[in-house]
Amino acid sequence: PVTEEVPWLSLGLSGAALLALLPLLLSMPRQAGVTAGAIAVSLLQMAVLDAPPEQALLEGVLALVWSGVITLKEALAGFASEGVVAVGVMSAVAKGVQATGGLAYISRFLLGRPSSRLAAVLRLVLPTMLLSAVLNNTPVCAMLMPVARSWAASLSPAVAPKQLMMPLSFATMLGGTITLIGSSTNLVAAEAARKHDPTSPMGMLGITPVGLVNAAAGAAYMVAAGGSL
């Protein structure tokens, strides 16, 4: 719960962090030092005060605008980015699949009833990679966590949910490298590449060959070392 003490605590910790980093920041060029300080304060707020990321990062952007490191136009340019809009659309699509019950149905159909931890990790990792390749991987991970917990408890013999959470997280990241829409990082990188060289746009399956190799190697590792993750 939010209390009246939090803003003052935030200001105090931010000031203490800047004082501790002051010698290092002063040794940098002005813009680099201001940027490093803004990032440090934002990370401190999120890590120590559990501040919402959007609040902490927006404060960092405002600090950069106020100090003249970036202009207001540059600060607002991100909201007009095609990559940012695409991420928002994919998140809405993923939420729609969840709200209609489609994700739970697909998960029950694909996960099955494995009889061992090794088989459970394999049955979890492969469908998760597939879903993350066609939906944005961040909402897929968030939506599959409760599904994986209840599924692990229902198995016979039961599998500890903690043995599936890390493979689930890594599987969504690896699946997101298979297609362009699988990860917000891909979309932002594709937009930057298009601006740099409009003649060579990154297609939907342009990263698939490398992504498949990456995903296969990651899946093999997680199946082999899943018990330690």
Side-chain angles (χ1 to χ4, degrees):
V2 179
T3 66
E4 295 181 357
E5 297 179 0
V6 170
W8 296 106
L9 181 60
S10 175
L11 289 174
L13 286 175
S14 300
L18 289 176
L19 286 176
L21 294 173
L22 190 59
L24 177 62
L25 298 178
L26 291 177
S27 67
M28 298 180 179
R30 177 182 174 277
Q31 291 189 341
V34 172
T35 303
I39 293 174
V41 170
S42 297
L43 292 175
L44 180 68
Q45 289 179 330
M46 290 185 285
V48 177
L49 301 177
D50 199 24
E54 61 273 15
Q55 172 190 324
L57 296 176
L58 181 59
E59 291 173 357
V61 171
L62 292 177
L64 295 180
V65 173
W66 177 77
S67 60
V69 175
I70 59 175
T71 64
L72 182 60
K73 182 178 180 180
E74 291 172 333
L76 297 176
F79 296 100
S81 168
E82 294 179 5
V84 173
V85 174
V87 171
V89 171
M90 292 306 302
S91 297
V93 171
K95 184 63 177 180
V97 174
Q98 181 194 29
T100 57
L103 186 62
Y105 175 78
I106 293 172
S107 300
R108 285 195 300 267
F109 176 75
L110 294 177
L111 294 178
R113 308 291 299 177
S115 58
S116 67
R117 183 203 60 78
L118 185 65
V121 172
L122 185 62
R123 291 296 295 265
L124 176 67
V125 164
L126 296 182
T128 299
M129 286 182 177
L130 177 63
L131 289 172
S132 297
V134 296
L135 297 171
N136 191 268
N137 60 356
T138 302
V140 167
C141 184
M143 290 183 293
L144 282 181
M145 285 177 65
V147 174
R149 287 196 188 99
S150 59
W151 174 69
S154 68
L155 295 178
S156 181
V159 177
K162 65 181 181 180
Q163 293 186 326
L164 299 179
M165 292 298 103
M166 289 299 288
L168 171 64
S169 176
F170 289 134
T172 56
M173 288 189 286
L174 291 169
T177 66
I178 296 176
T179 64
L180 181 63
I181 64 173
S183 170
S184 55
T185 307
N186 298 345
L187 295 169
V188 173
E191 182 184 8
R194 180 182 58 80
K195 290 181 178 179
H196 179 71
D197 185 5
T199 63
S200 57
M202 187 184 299
M204 172 71 173
L205 302 178
I207 61 175
T208 300
V210 176
L212 286 174
V213 174
N214 184 45
Y221 173 77
M222 283 188 288
V223 170
S228 302
L229 295 177

